[in-house]
Amino acid sequence: MLYRETGQFKRNYAADQQLFPIFQDKILLAVILVVSLAIIPFVINDYWSKAILLPFMVYSLIALGLNILVGYCGQISLGTGGFMAVGAYSSYKLCTAFPEMNLVVVILLSGGCTAAVGVLFGLPSLRIKGFYLAVATLAAQFFLIWMFNKVPWFYNYEMSQITAPPREMFGFLVSGPQATPTAQYLFVLGFLVAFTWIALNLVRGRIGRSWMSIRDMDIAAELLGIKPLKTKLLAFAVSSFYIGIGGALIFHIWLGTVEATEAFDILQSFFVLFAIIIGGLGSVLGSYLGAAFMALMPVGLKVVLVDWFGMVPVTAKHIEIMLVGSLIIFFLIKEPHGLARMWQITKEKLRLWPFPY
């Protein structure tokens, strides 16, 4: 009864096609926006920014990008870390070559560069699929990281470690060591909200339906008039665009200084892939839930084991790794469709609660 849809009538097509047609969803969204915009900016500190909120938001954006490719279009990719590196190094080159360029434009152009690279490495998807495509994208991961580590042009012939120059937005520093946690939080939040809204509209429209038809049965989709070449490459482009923006935000806002072999290695690719599997493939909400699980669970376990129980940090780290792995297996066995499906089941139960029938 708490989540009741009956009685909520839609009197026109626009009302019926809203992103959030249920009244309770609108209330929940309003609460989240109020907390995000009216409370968190005034209480956030450096720890909450660097350890919790920025990792969660950046990985949510990256997981959303990978979910478009894997969850909606059915094309597996293990090159996420390499594409994140493309976004980070593209933004570094643009910032150093054009110091007066707005940081938002820099990050968007970095996403465009990553999209072009993603299309290039997505070409094998036209001939191969499944594990073979996974191996092809894994090769992209190793090649890109090697290139950014060995070609001095990408780091301006200095150290292979690149550092984000200070940049302002509306008079407030958002990158560099002097940037405030509030400015960085709001900057990343703006990207996350804007591109989540774009993704929600993409996946429920004609483009999203063509992606899902390719995912479900590519031969039948082609017989229905959907072009596999255009559809798959578009998915690679959009997915890489999101991931590139995430890589640029990691470099400029979250970390400030990165080195390709450490910040964007193969573990990052598996990290994001695990996030969308746990959160739920083919679900925008699942991208958020999976990113929250993967990014925040280690922080929570560290607080409990080290701060509360006084455990040695090294021992706590080993327990954390085993526990996170066990929880991943548990969730995959208990609910293979991810946390998003569990939330959907919860809402279905709330439609009847407290009456069982």
Side-chain angles (χ1 to χ4, degrees):
M1 300 292 285
L2 289 176
Y3 195 75
R4 186 174 57 185
E5 298 178 32
T6 54
Q8 300 187 27
F9 302 109
K10 309 295 183 298
R11 293 179 171 81
N12 53 57
Y13 184 74
D16 190 52
Q17 293 299 310
Q18 290 177 347
L19 283 176
F20 301 97
I22 309 300
F23 178 70
Q24 290 85 344
D25 286 340
K26 294 178 181 176
I27 293 178
L28 180 61
L29 180 65
V31 170
I32 292 174
L33 288 177
V34 168
V35 172
S36 302
L37 297 174
I39 297 178
I40 292 179
F42 298 100
V43 299
I44 191 173
N45 56 28
D46 196 55
Y47 172 77
W48 275 86
S49 172
K50 297 291 185 183
I52 296 176
L53 292 174
L54 288 182
F56 164 66
M57 291 192 293
V58 170
Y59 279 119
S60 295
L61 188 62
I62 296 172
L64 187 54
L66 186 63
N67 218 336
I68 287 174
L69 181 65
V70 180
Y72 285 99
C73 196
Q75 308 300 304
I76 188 70
S77 173
L78 293 178
T80 307
F83 296 137
M84 291 162 61
V86 173
Y89 278 79
S90 299
S91 63
Y92 174 70
K93 292 295 293 183
L94 288 169
C95 264
T96 52
F98 307 100
E100 301 301 324
M101 187 179 288
N102 187 283
L103 186 58
V104 173
V105 178
V106 168
I107 291 176
L108 292 176
L109 289 177
S110 304
C113 295
T114 315
V117 176
V119 169
L120 179 65
F121 285 101
L123 288 173
S125 66
L126 307 177
R127 299 296 298 272
I128 57 178
K129 61 177 70 174
F131 290 114
Y132 298 97
L133 181 59
V135 172
T137 53
L138 187 62
Q141 163 76 35
F142 290 124
F143 172 76
L144 290 171
I145 296 302
W146 172 87
M147 184 178 68
F148 290 124
N149 194 41
K150 297 297 183 182
V151 179
W153 181 80
F154 288 107
Y155 44 88
N156 288 345
Y157 303 94
E158 298 175 355
M159 297 176 63
S160 59
Q161 189 180 59
I162 58 175
T163 301
R167 287 290 183 273
E168 291 185 354
M169 281 296 299
F170 304 112
F172 296 96
L173 275 173
V174 294
S175 65
Q178 303 302 322
T180 62
T182 301
Q184 292 182 320
Y185 162 77
L186 291 175
F187 186 79
V188 178
L189 181 65
F191 272 94
L192 185 61
V193 171
F195 283 97
T196 300
W197 178 77
I198 293 173
L200 283 170
N201 283 284
L202 270 180
V203 298
R204 69 179 187 149
R206 181 179 57 83
I207 295 175
R209 289 194 295 273
S210 65
W211 285 340
M212 287 183 272
S213 63
I214 289 290
R215 175 197 64 190
D216 295 338
M217 187 174 289
D218 52 355
I219 296 176
E222 189 172 4
L223 290 173
L224 291 173
I226 295 173
K227 299 177 180 177
L229 170 66
K230 179 182 176 182
T231 306
K232 289 182 180 180
L233 291 186
L234 181 61
F236 268 97
V238 174
S239 170
S240 303
F241 183 81
Y242 273 71
I243 295 171
I245 288 178
L249 291 175
I250 286 177
F251 167 57
H252 278 280
I253 309 299
W254 179 22
L255 299 180
T257 300
V258 298
E259 204 273 332
T261 54
E262 294 181 358
F264 306 113
D265 60 358
I266 184 64
L267 295 179
Q268 290 291 317
S269 300
F270 286 114
F271 182 92
V272 182
L273 185 62
F274 291 159
I276 63 171
I277 291 174
I278 292 171
L281 292 171
S283 167
V284 173
L285 175 64
S287 305
Y288 277 81
L289 297 178
F293 181 90
M294 293 297 293
L296 305 185
M297 181 64 74
V299 179
L301 289 175
K302 179 179 176 297
V303 170
V304 172
L305 296 177
V306 177
D307 298 342
W308 292 3
F309 292 100
M311 193 172 291
V312 178
V314 176
T315 307
K317 185 64 179 176
H318 289 294
I319 294 177
E320 171 196 315
I321 293 172
M322 291 188 293
L323 196 54
V324 170
S326 302
L327 287 172
I328 291 173
I329 296 172
F330 169 78
F331 276 115
L332 291 179
I333 294 175
K334 192 68 177 178
E335 183 49 75
H337 298 291
L339 297 172
R341 175 59 183 161
M342 295 176 70
W343 172 241
Q344 185 180 0
I345 293 173
T346 302
K347 289 198 297 185
E348 290 172 357
K349 292 184 181 298
L350 287 175
R351 286 189 174 96
L352 299 174
W353 188 87
F355 306 110
Y357 303 105

